[in-house]
Amino acid sequence: MNAAVSFIDGKSPAGSQLDNLNQWVTEAAALTQPDHIHWCDGSDPEYAALVQQMQADGTLLPLNPDTHPDSWLHRSSPSDVARVEHLTFVCTPERDAAGPNNHWMSPADGHAQMDALFAGCMRGRTLYVVPYCMGPIDSPLARCGVEITDSPYVVANMRIMTRMGAAALARIEREGSFVKGLHSIGELDPERRFIMHFPEELTIKSFGSGYGGNALLGKKCHALRIASHQARREGWLAEHMLIVGIENPQGEVHYIAAAFPSACGKTNLAMLIPPQSYREAGWKVWTVGDDICWMRPGADGRLYAINPEAGFFGVAPGTSEKSNPNALASIQHGTIFTNVAVTDDNQPWWEGLDKRVPAKDWQGRDYDPANGPAAHPNSRFTVSAKQCPSYSPRAEDPQGVPISAIVFGGRRASLVPLVFEARDWTHGVLVGASMGSETTAAATGAVGVMRRDPMAMKPFCGYNFADYFAHWLSFDQPGAKLPKVFHVNWFRKGEDGQFLWPGFGENLRVLEWMIERVQGRAEAIEAPIGLLPKPGHFNLQGVGMTAETLADLFKVDPDAWRDEFDEISEYLRSYGPAMPDELCAEAQRTLAALS
Ligand code: SAT
Ligand code: MN
């Protein structure tokens, strides 16, 4: 054990509001039987000591200190490389509360199953108590949690991804309430792996995985599954959305929240670099968040959003000087890489980065293309948001940023045009609810299969989707100044199998149209599925696109859309009577317009 890490065996912070926390830690320790208990203060020396300890035992491998100072490589167990949706449960007294969109277990069964796994699992290990705050530490929209874990890798990641340590503990002491997350990597045995949520108890139990959203409990488990449940009760929204600020040449900044499934380019859009002509004209892009958005109505009726996270857990493959220079600049130092490859001079490497040939693959084997990609397709970087050159100063604003537009998008090779606008809020909710996307490597299972992923929340909504859609509809109140809602598809392909739209920085053109729609400056034409840009009102100057490609990009094929809407209607109906009639009626309205 490294002496530099101070272990406060048995001793815990004072303060009567913390009785609740102390008691839970005592119970967790009695169950898991750790050798040591360490209360994390989130300090630099603590982080340094943890890293040193992990380097000593091989959990972290140092990377080239000249090119990537203070950066580390972690190789996870090869059977523990992504979220496991089939092992993720929502445990509510009534099955209906969790809905058909979740795997369900009764709380009693869930606790019994998990506690049997946790019994004695930390013998010979240290139990870390990780107090954290999701959101700026002084924000009324922020919420706190405490993760108990036996993984120092998880502690180090939580320190980057959340406001972790003493300040969070002080807020918990003031407020007295927090989300409890109990985590152990167990034996990293896929047969003994479960992630369970108990929303009524604000509790998470996760066993057997050390990877991403399975283990960094502040992220998907707290900030989405538990928070979505809290948000419904308290009148706000916890969403799987990036938040980006677009500054126009007049210096006005419009904030946009956009929902895309995991590994569909949220990080790239949040850090977009404007095309040269836009840069020269004075456009700027500000990153507030790349994955999660909490928003609530402000006194002026607008929705105000915070990013509950403090860092990025970004997908490495595909990140390059072309696709995302801001991300690349962010990860030159102080970064934890997980499951990437390395070059012969020990620099992190992944497919799509550049033309170098890696020396070792993500499992540490000599690189051999016969073994598949050198970096795991779901390999990641963990880095503080403060290191991002485009990080918005408003990201730390306790009041959040006002949202002008909400964007839904998926990965659709055909059918769905580059952009369309919803007719109104109810139609916007339908557009979100009927989202479909091809699956990615962010979760285990087949990749590239089209599935319904409403609001990109299929893996993350902590309650019945029917109730969730009703909650969304409920924001349409007198006096509300709701954002306009749009749908985008960067991934439409032509008959030759090539993407029709160049994407990346050029996506700003689409955001510009949205902002001009919000300002009432750009015009649209009505199509049965929503409003499309009126030719001449969408800036394509310099894109070099043929009229034919443009027509393909915006084409709405009524026959194919009728099939899509038959499927959407059936999907909505599959939720039974709880599905809001308003939404089914809205789908019927679109279907009628297509006939
Ligand atoms: O593994 S995570 O859930 O944290 C990342 C993602 O899938 O969005
Ligand atoms: Mn995500």
Side-chain angles (χ1 to χ4, degrees):
M1 205 64 59
N2 194 308
V5 181
S6 60
F7 295 104
I8 320 174
D9 285 287
K11 240 198 288 159
S12 48
S16 61
Q17 288 298 330
L18 291 176
D19 285 354
N20 204 353
L21 171 57
N22 285 326
Q23 191 189 336
W24 173 57
V25 173
T26 305
E27 284 166 14
L31 175 64
T32 59
Q33 300 281 309
D35 282 12
H36 300 278
I37 296 177
H38 175 81
W39 289 74
C40 295
D41 62 14
S43 64
D44 289 342
E46 178 182 76
Y47 183 75
L50 274 170
V51 164
Q52 202 185 8
Q53 173 194 323
M54 284 189 277
Q55 192 183 341
D57 70 15
T59 304
L60 291 185
L61 308 170
L63 289 161
N64 187 321
D66 299 324
T67 60
H68 292 78
D70 301 319
S71 297
W72 311 91
L73 168 63
H74 173 69
R75 292 194 181 118
S76 75
S77 165
S79 61
D80 184 33
V81 292
R83 280 183 290 102
V84 281
E85 293 178 13
H86 61 296
L87 303 175
T88 300
F89 286 73
V90 169
C91 304
T92 46
E94 304 294 331
R95 183 189 278 264
D96 270 357
N101 46 305
N102 282 298
H103 299 294
W104 175 84
M105 204 179 280
S106 77
D109 289 350
H111 282 302
Q113 190 156 331
M114 294 309 284
D115 291 353
L117 293 170
F118 277 111
C121 72
M122 295 192 194
R123 278 195 197 106
R125 300 181 187 175
T126 295
L127 177 158
Y128 297 91
V129 184
V130 184
Y132 63 86
C133 179
M134 300 309 289
I137 195 86
D138 51 354
S139 170
L141 284 81
R143 291 284 186 281
C144 288
V146 179
E147 175 163 358
I148 290 177
T149 180
D150 55 8
S151 162
Y153 165 81
V154 165
V155 177
N157 276 271
M158 285 292 284
R159 177 158 186 280
I160 298 172
M161 295 303 297
T162 71
R163 281 89 174 168
M164 184 272 259
L169 190 63
R171 180 165 170 161
I172 289 168
E173 178 162 21
R174 270 199 320 276
E175 292 182 337
S177 80
F178 60 95
V179 170
K180 299 179 171 117
L182 178 59
H183 171 253
S184 170
I185 56 172
E187 313 84 45
L188 295 173
D189 175 359
E191 301 298 319
R192 286 164 49 84
R193 179 177 294 163
F194 285 106
I195 295 99
M196 296 211 190
H197 304 73
F198 305 85
E200 313 273 339
E201 304 162 41
L202 302 184
T203 294
I204 304 153
K205 292 186 176 178
S206 167
F207 190 90
S209 166
Y211 205 88
N214 300 332
L216 313 178
L217 300 187
K219 200 172 180 43
K220 310 298 187 178
C221 299
H222 177 165
L224 288 176
R225 297 194 192 97
I226 299 286
S228 61
H229 170 93
Q230 285 180 299
R232 180 186 177 209
R233 288 209 170 152
E234 299 169 8
W236 50 284
L237 291 164
E239 299 302 323
H240 191 206
M241 292 177 176
L242 66 94
I243 309 167
V244 66
I246 308 295
E247 183 174 333
N248 66 17
Q250 292 77 48
E252 302 157 350
V253 186
H254 281 270
Y255 294 92
I256 294 177
F260 299 85
S262 303
C264 287
K266 283 203 298 301
T267 307
N268 291 353
L269 187 61
M271 298 180 188
L272 175 148
I273 304 263
Q276 196 181 348
S277 59
Y278 278 72
R279 281 202 304 276
E280 284 166 7
W283 290 82
K284 293 196 181 86
V285 171
W286 299 102
T287 309
V288 179
D290 81 329
D291 195 38
I292 302 178
C293 165
W294 286 357
M295 46 189 169
R296 77 157 64 213
D300 62 359
R302 302 187 71 183
L303 288 182
Y304 282 79
I306 60 164
N307 169 15
E309 299 191 283
F312 308 120
F313 183 65
V315 178
T319 305
S320 72
E321 202 48 66
K322 174 169 186 282
S323 69
N324 195 337
N326 278 323
L328 211 54
S330 310
I331 58 181
Q332 295 308 305
H333 66 101
T335 304
I336 299 175
F337 294 89
T338 302
N339 291 343
V340 299
V342 287
T343 58
D344 56 6
D345 63 345
N346 210 25
Q347 295 189 43
W349 190 91
W350 46 83
E351 276 69 17
L353 174 62
D354 54 34
K355 297 232 156 11
R356 286 175 297 170
V357 176
K360 302 262 183 224
D361 73 5
W362 64 279
Q363 298 186 61
R365 302 173 297 195
D366 286 342
Y367 174 59
D368 178 354
N371 287 332
H376 188 277
N378 193 37
S379 55
R380 299 275 174 162
F381 52 79
T382 318
V383 69
S384 165
K386 294 205 171 94
Q387 292 186 195
C388 179
S390 58
Y391 191 49
S392 166
R394 290 287 302 272
E396 304 288 333
D397 186 334
Q399 301 307 322
V401 294
I403 297 297
S404 299
I406 287 176
V407 180
F408 296 114
R411 212 177 250 279
R412 297 294 293 263
S414 59
L415 186 76
V416 184
L418 178 64
V419 59
F420 63 92
E421 179 188 326
R423 291 181 284 267
D424 55 23
W425 184 256
T426 303
H427 182 223
V429 174
L430 174 68
V431 167
S434 51
M435 255 171 75
S437 193
E438 288 147 25
T439 51
T440 69
T444 55
V447 167
V449 180
M450 193 353 243
R451 73 164 177 179
R452 293 281 148 216
D453 190 352
M455 281 123 169
M457 285 286 278
K458 168 71 188 72
F460 307 121
C461 184
Y463 61 101
N464 193 324
F465 259 154
D467 299 325
Y468 171 74
F469 301 144
H471 180 52
W472 263 82
L473 291 169
S474 76
F475 284 81
D476 195 1
Q477 299 278 337
K481 295 198 185 70
L482 295 168
K484 273 187 179 292
V485 179
F486 298 87
H487 190 284
V488 300
N489 177 26
W490 316 133
F491 302 96
R492 195 172 195 174
K493 289 180 177 170
E495 272 168 15
D496 57 0
Q498 300 293 311
F499 289 117
L500 292 168
W501 178 245
F504 303 117
E506 306 298 337
N507 291 339
L508 182 57
R509 296 169 188 275
V510 179
L511 304 184
E512 179 188 16
W513 182 72
M514 292 173 186
I515 291 168
E516 298 213 317
R517 288 292 298 158
V518 168
Q519 295 172 319
R521 302 217 316 250
E523 291 182 29
I525 44 174
E526 258 187 69
I529 60 163
L531 306 166
L532 297 169
K534 189 168 175 180
H537 287 250
F538 183 86
N539 183 3
L540 284 165
Q541 225 164 25
V543 184
M545 187 172 277
T546 65
E548 244 180 327
T549 307
L550 190 62
D552 283 350
L553 191 57
F554 282 102
K555 187 171 164 199
V556 176
D557 173 351
D559 290 339
W561 271 100
R562 256 196 316 275
D563 292 346
E564 174 83 357
F565 264 86
D566 283 339
E567 210 184 294
I568 289 168
S569 301
E570 196 183 321
Y571 175 73
L572 296 178
R573 275 197 303 271
S574 74
Y575 283 81
M579 183 57 69
D581 292 337
E582 240 178 306
L583 215 55
C584 299
E586 191 64 43
Q588 285 312 309
R589 209 165 294 144
T590 303
L591 203 48
L594 286 162
S595 307

